[in-house]
Amino acid sequence: MKPEFRTIIEPFRVKTVEPIKFTTREHREKCLKAAGYNLFTLHAEDVLIDLLTDSGTGAMSAQQWGAMMVADESYAGSRSFYRLEAAIQNIMGFKNIIPTHQGRAAEHILFTIAAKPGQVIPSNTHFDTTRANIEYGGTEARDLVIPEGRQPDLIHPFKGNMDVEALRQMIAEVGRERIPMVMLTLTNNSGGGQPVSMDNIRTVSQIAHENGIPLIIDACRFAENSWFIKLREEGYADKTPLEIAREIFSYADGCTMSAKKDGLANIGGFLALNDDGLAQQCRNLLILTEGFPTYGGLAGYDMEAIAQGLHEVLQEDYLRYRIRSTAYLADGLVAAGVPIVQPPGGHAVYIDARAMLPHIPSSQYPAQALAAELYLEGGLRPVEIGSLMFGKPQPDGSETAAALELVRLTIPRRVYTQSHIDYVIEVIARVNAHKDTIKGFRITYQAPFLRHFTIQLEPVE
Ligand SMILES: Cc1ncc(COP(=O)(O)O)c(C=O)c1O
């Protein structure tokens, strides 16, 4: 499926603009120090190109804003809820749709009801909020991605696949009664934004169901995953993204979803379940923690934005541009000699900081050191996905290192143009030229859970 022209054009015109602020290196040095060298603690207006996340940072369409104006803000039985429910069921087919304020709220409700201490939940790779919500309840979160998924420079079309033999072995060892669900994260965010093949989803579903275990999909980037299946998996080239998405969800018993990603909305999420009994228990907890089941922590206009977003995210022009423009950033970095996870993911390009900065040990957080330097050099704000995020403090004061030390350059949806991305490539190429001078960090404060959000650091001299 070669595009007719080489130049990527954004499949939209710009109608509203938001100025971005240019700053000096001196200013950024002050800002970074004041933020405890944690990019999450920066004021966003001191960032020029914000690549921290693709979550809730996308630009909405005129149709979404229009739908928001005619939303129904009724507390109970809102028309906007039924529109959202219909939009989700059209794609995913699940019976019970439970809106939440974002993805982690859906996760928290699901694991509170369905998982017990001492149980184990396998996934290809759990995202950090998923892992934290599972572990918070005393359940183990286990990652079973295929070995290829752990090798940053190895090219494989579906590096997000689950190792199905490892899953079979785990079920035999742990026992099906101690596994409340099997999960699959589409695409595999923490493993490099890599897709999962339809064949793998089908096989994982079969294994889970043979053992009486439900399959729950973390569906945050289901549309991007569907597009990769269309491009890379035999038999899917002529299917529409909607048909592919429908097949994916037909193998599952439910999903958790952050609509801040492939819902093309700035806030929102949902839990979807086929099991009526489980859904009822989840709704009861929803009323306690989020809100009434027909709004679950969202305004009527948020539900309208998501309903429309779910329609737009499956458009072929949009997905072609989305995946191709991420690949454009990857191509530019490879040409500049920067080591990245290959092939590039759907929503982000991941720099392999361990390969780029071999002089900084994991105990000094090489990916964080690189992320901070990209901010100082050109006002970029990427995010560390390495030992700062996933390192585990041990009783003797040491830490286990993360499997990979990655810097994620996350592309907000429909926000930046090709010239913004050209600038990003230029900044990173400049940093690559003086990479040997970059220094690591040590921690001065950390919270017990999800520490990377609030961590405070100081440079190692
Ligand atoms: C794969 C995955 N799962 C779950 C979440 C959590 O969603 P939220 O940020 O809406 O709570 C995220 C967010 O980045 C994610 O990428």
Side-chain angles (χ1 to χ4, degrees), residues 132-455:
N133 269 302
I134 292 171
E135 290 175 349
Y136 187 69
T139 308
E140 185 191 330
R142 204 176 285 185
D143 294 339
L144 299 179
V145 75
I146 52 169
E148 292 88 335
R150 298 184 202 273
Q151 296 176 52
D153 53 355
L154 189 128
I155 307 246
H156 181 290
F158 292 104
K159 281 173 95 172
N161 281 356
M162 183 182 268
D163 183 336
V164 291
E165 280 319 308
L167 176 64
R168 280 204 182 91
Q169 211 176 323
M170 187 197 131
I171 295 173
E173 278 167 21
V174 171
R176 66 181 75 170
E177 61 296 338
R178 280 185 55 217
I179 305 174
M181 69 192 80
V182 173
M183 292 193 75
L184 275 176
T185 312
L186 310 183
T187 55
N188 190 20
N189 187 1
S190 306
Q194 301 292 327
V196 181
S197 72
M198 191 72 87
D199 181 55
N200 192 252
I201 298 168
R202 200 184 296 119
T203 311
V204 168
S205 166
Q206 257 164 20
I207 297 171
H209 290 153
E210 274 163 18
N211 287 280
I213 304 169
L215 171 64
I216 302 292
I217 289 182
D218 177 338
C220 292
R221 298 178 182 82
F222 76 95
E224 292 174 9
N225 202 100
S226 300
W227 187 253
F228 279 119
I229 288 175
K230 183 175 170 72
L231 294 186
R232 298 182 184 169
E233 193 161 349
E234 215 185 309
Y236 289 92
D238 296 330
K239 292 210 189 308
T240 65
L242 176 61
E243 287 168 335
I244 296 172
R246 281 180 177 155
E247 184 179 341
I248 290 175
F249 292 111
S250 73
Y251 299 124
D253 302 279
C255 77
T256 55
M257 171 77 183
S258 169
K260 301 170 74 175
K261 286 84 171 174
D262 277 353
L264 294 179
N266 297 127
I267 194 71
F270 54 87
L271 173 63
L273 295 167
N274 279 338
D275 183 326
D276 292 334
L278 182 59
Q280 189 176 35
Q281 284 178 280
C282 289
R283 281 200 186 98
N284 291 342
L285 184 55
L286 181 89
I287 294 173
L288 195 67
T289 57
E290 290 280 292
F292 191 72
T294 58
Y295 73 86
L298 295 173
Y301 55 70
D302 295 323
M303 294 190 283
E304 289 286 346
I306 300 166
Q308 176 64 24
L310 287 171
H311 169 70
E312 292 175 16
V313 81
L314 287 167
Q315 302 300 306
E316 297 212 0
D317 284 346
Y318 163 75
L319 282 168
R320 184 177 297 111
Y321 138 82
R322 172 79 178 148
I323 301 304
R324 181 65 199 102
S325 56
T326 303
Y328 176 84
L329 170 57
D331 292 348
L333 294 181
V334 169
V338 176
I340 61 162
V341 174
Q342 287 284 12
H347 66 298
V349 175
Y350 295 67
I351 303 176
D352 182 353
R354 194 173 274 152
M356 186 163 161
L357 306 178
H359 62 285
I360 303 182
S362 279
S363 58
Q364 294 178 12
Y365 312 108
Q368 180 64 14
L370 179 58
E373 188 60 25
L374 296 181
Y375 174 68
L376 291 177
E377 185 75 29
L380 312 185
R381 174 158 69 168
V383 66
E384 191 260 15
I385 303 212
S387 291
L388 204 73
M389 192 180 267
F390 290 121
K392 282 238 179 303
Q394 301 298 303
D396 67 356
S398 67
E399 268 188 32
T400 55
L404 301 172
E405 300 289 353
L406 304 177
V407 171
R408 188 183 74 184
L409 306 159
T410 338
I411 321 286
R413 294 171 178 78
R414 308 190 290 203
V415 170
Y416 293 118
T417 63
Q418 194 165 326
S419 60
H420 289 116
I421 299 300
D422 285 335
Y423 171 83
V424 170
I425 295 167
E426 189 180 335
V427 171
I428 298 173
R430 275 213 218 172
V431 168
N432 196 36
H434 69 250
K435 60 185 178 184
D436 299 343
T437 64
I438 299 174
K439 296 203 170 91
F441 285 105
R442 76 168 68 89
I443 296 174
T444 58
Y445 164 77
Q446 58 180 310
F449 296 104
L450 297 173
R451 65 178 184 176
H452 53 285
F453 286 126
T454 52
I455 209 157

Side-chain angles (χ1 to χ4, degrees), residues 22-164:
F22 291 85
T23 54
T24 60
R25 184 174 176 111
E26 199 188 358
H27 178 79
R28 294 194 289 274
E29 275 167 3
K30 274 194 206 132
C31 293
L32 192 60
K33 193 167 178 200
Y37 298 92
N38 179 352
L39 301 183
F40 279 100
T41 335
L42 286 170
H43 289 213
E45 68 170 6
D46 293 319
V47 173
L48 187 64
I49 307 279
D50 205 341
L51 306 176
L52 188 72
T53 174
D54 64 328
S55 181
T57 52
M60 286 202 289
S61 67
Q63 286 82 354
Q64 283 177 294
W65 286 110
M68 289 169 78
M69 285 305 291
V70 293
D72 177 359
E73 299 301 342
S74 300
Y75 188 97
S78 156
R79 184 181 64 241
S80 301
F81 167 73
Y82 293 110
R83 188 168 169 230
L84 174 64
E85 185 185 54
I88 298 168
Q89 284 174 337
N90 177 43
I91 301 166
M92 304 185 171
F94 297 125
K95 221 170 141 196
N96 298 283
I97 309 301
I98 302 170
T100 58
H101 79 274
Q102 60 182 89
R104 71 198 68 183
E107 293 166 0
H108 186 67
I109 289 172
L110 177 66
F111 303 136
T112 303
I113 301 293
K116 295 191 178 59
Q119 293 187 324
V120 190
I121 300 180
S123 181
N124 44 353
T125 311
H126 291 283
F127 186 64
D128 61 349
T129 59
T130 324
R131 169 173 288 280
N133 269 302
I134 292 171
E135 290 175 349
Y136 187 69
T139 308
E140 185 191 330
R142 204 176 285 185
D143 294 339
L144 299 179
V145 75
I146 52 169
E148 292 88 335
R150 298 184 202 273
Q151 296 176 52
D153 53 355
L154 189 128
I155 307 246
H156 181 290
F158 292 104
K159 281 173 95 172
N161 281 356
M162 183 182 268
D163 183 336
V164 291

